[in-house]
Amino acid sequence: MTLIDGRAIAAAITAEVTETAAKLRESGTAPTLAVLVPTDDDDATAWYVRSIERAAKKVGVDCRVVQLENPTGADVTRELDKLSADPSVHGIICQTPLPDGVTLDDVGAHIDPRKDVDGANPVSLGRLTAGLPTYAPATAAAVLEILKREQVALSGAQVAVVGRSTIVGKPAALLLLGEHATVTVCHSRTKDLAAVTKTADVLVVAVGRAHFIGADHVKPGAVVIDVGTNPTPEGGLVGDVDQAAVEEIAGSITPVPGGVGPVTTSLLLRHTVTAAQS
């Protein structure tokens, strides 16, 4: 089995983004990503935002963190409207968790689709469905980016996506359909999940349940993309796939950490630089 090096893929993307960002700065445009953070007491969010700031600095993208204190849903939408109208901002992402009773579906429509670098606006998902130019959610885009960089043949391939969220499962399935794969989307109501996933040449797993996928779910030689990031009591991370159980069966797999995550961050920055070129 081959471990797919997400960090190496991210480094290649970062090099490309750095070059483009430098050219933009030379022409007088400072590519800028705004990160709206509606909470100040979530350690995972704080860690992720710091990682985005570090990555942005390395490639020459300005990162503007907008921290809100105990906001209402109206406060969040008001700030997203303001950032959408700001010509100096090229990309916008809204972190979770959001205020009680508020979902990303509720506020995503307040991000200008031209700046929606993480595909949160329903318009972005609609354009993705229609095959029109748009920014797909970065994690879903990372799935396709990894498969392309690994030169996995997708046209005609049998692909199973486990998970149907609007931020990973559904958009990943749409992106794979765009590459002419035959895609099956599995979810909590799927009967005999293993019978479906064992037919897949490519298996994408995004359910948020540690070690949910085991050896009996994987076709021999399959490419497995593990999107899960589940914290352990020891402070580490494990994926949705039990890597130890499937390593003798799968042909290749993305590790956790070091797989999809780094590629996701690099694509957020690439999307921002692309938006700055528009």
Side-chain angles (χ1 to χ4, degrees), residues 47-139:
W47 178 88
Y48 183 58
V49 171
R50 287 194 298 270
S51 72
I52 292 174
E53 289 182 287
R54 289 193 298 269
K57 185 176 181 179
K58 288 180 181 179
V59 301
V61 170
D62 292 345
C63 186
R64 185 186 305 176
V65 177
V66 180
Q67 181 79 56
L68 300 181
E69 303 293 335
N70 299 316
T72 64
D75 294 329
V76 174
T77 57
R78 188 181 306 113
E79 194 61 42
L80 290 174
D81 288 336
K82 187 187 303 183
L83 292 170
S84 292
D86 186 341
S88 70
V89 172
H90 305 103
I92 302 169
I93 61 175
C94 181
Q95 289 299 112
T96 56
L98 290 161
D100 288 343
V102 180
T103 68
L104 195 56
D105 290 338
D106 297 327
V107 303
H110 290 264
I111 301 175
D112 185 332
R114 295 170 297 180
K115 303 182 180 186
D116 185 23
V117 293
D118 202 19
N121 192 318
V123 170
S124 300
L125 185 59
R127 291 182 65 86
L128 184 63
T129 302
L132 298 173
T134 192
Y135 299 111
T139 304

